[in-house]
Amino acid sequence: PDRPDIEQLKRQAKELLTASKAGEPTAVARLAGTPQPKLSDAQFVLAREHGFASWVKLRQALASADNRPVPRRANVSDAFAQPSTFQAATFLAAARRNGWEPGRLPTAIVFVFQNTFARRLADDPRFVEDPSMAVGNGRYFITVDDPAIAVSCISPGGAFVGQVENQTALGGASEFVLLNLAGGLGPAVTTGEIAIIESAVRDDGISHRYLPPGDVVRADRDLTDRLIASARTIQAEAHAHFSWTNPATFRQTQSEIDHYVAEGVTVVESEIASLLAVAEALGAAAAAAVVVSGFNGEDAHAPNWAELAETHWSLFEATLQVLSHR
C-alpha cells in the first residue's frame, strides 16, 4: 500500500486466520492447507505476499513513519576543531538588534541548581536580580557592590554553557564556579562532606565539542586551591576530589561505580566536566565544589536535608569570599 499501516496488517492477519478456520476456500488456499493454523502462520503468509521473508522483517520495514529511512547519527569525532555555524557573538548581535542590552557585567559567575538559592538571594540585600541576564526559566542575581559577582540559578542541563559563551563574548566573567549536591562513591567520602573537584571524568555530552578526546578534564589549579583554602574554614578536612560526570542520574551501573572507585573517584555529578571543558576551551578559569548528599545502594540512608542545605549555603559564602578577593 502507498501508506502501509502495521495495525491494519495485524487485522488482516486475524481475518485471514478466522476465514481459514471457517473453511473459506481462498483463505485455506493462501495458508496452503496448514492444519490447525495459528496467527503466526497467517502473519507469515501476509508478510510473504508483501514481499518480505518474515513478519519480523515486515514490521522492521514499517518501523519508521511513512516507511522512510531512519536518519543516522553524525559521527563527528573532531567537532571540537571545526568552526561553529552559530556563535555567541551572532546570538548577542541579534538580541541587541531586538533592543536587548546587557546589564552590569560580572567578573565571576557561580552556578547553582537549587531553588532555595534563588529564594534566599531574593531577600539578600547584597544582591539584586537582573532578569535580562537570566537563562530560560532561571534567575540571575548580581552583587550590589564591587566586585560584581553573579549567581545563576538554573535547572540542571547545558544552559550554563550558553552563559559561559555569552560572558566570554561580552568580555564579562572570566571565572566560573559550579556549586551542587553530589552523590558519593566508595568509602573514602561521607555524606555532608565538602568536595572540591580537581578533575572530572568526561562521561558527559558536551565536552567532546570543546576539547580533543580524553578521559578527564581538569579544573583551574589556582581557583581550585583558593576554594580548598576557603572551604577549610567550614570543614578543616576539605580537600580535592575526582568526580565522575554522568548525566544519566538513574542509569548508573554497579560495574561503572566499582571501576571509578578503584580509580580513586569519590563523587558523581552531572554537570562538572561540561563546565570545565567549556571554560578551558574559551580560556576562562573554572572550578567546582559539591556537598556529598548521599550514596547509591540498599544501605543508603536518607540524608538530613536541612543540614546539607546549611552546609551548601556556607560553601556558597566561602565561594563568594574567594571570588571577591582575586
Side-chain angles (χ1 to χ4, degrees), residues 90-101:
T90 307
F91 168 75
L92 294 170
R96 280 179 159 141
R97 286 196 299 272
N98 286 318
W100 174 86
E101 284 297 332

Side-chain angles (χ1 to χ4, degrees), residues 4-7 9 52 55-71:
D5 177 17
I6 189 63
E7 295 303 323
L9 292 171
F52 294 91
W55 180 257
V56 172
K57 294 292 186 182
L58 172 61
R59 288 182 63 96
Q60 290 175 343
L62 302 181
S64 58
D66 297 328
N67 204 21
R68 290 174 294 181
V70 177

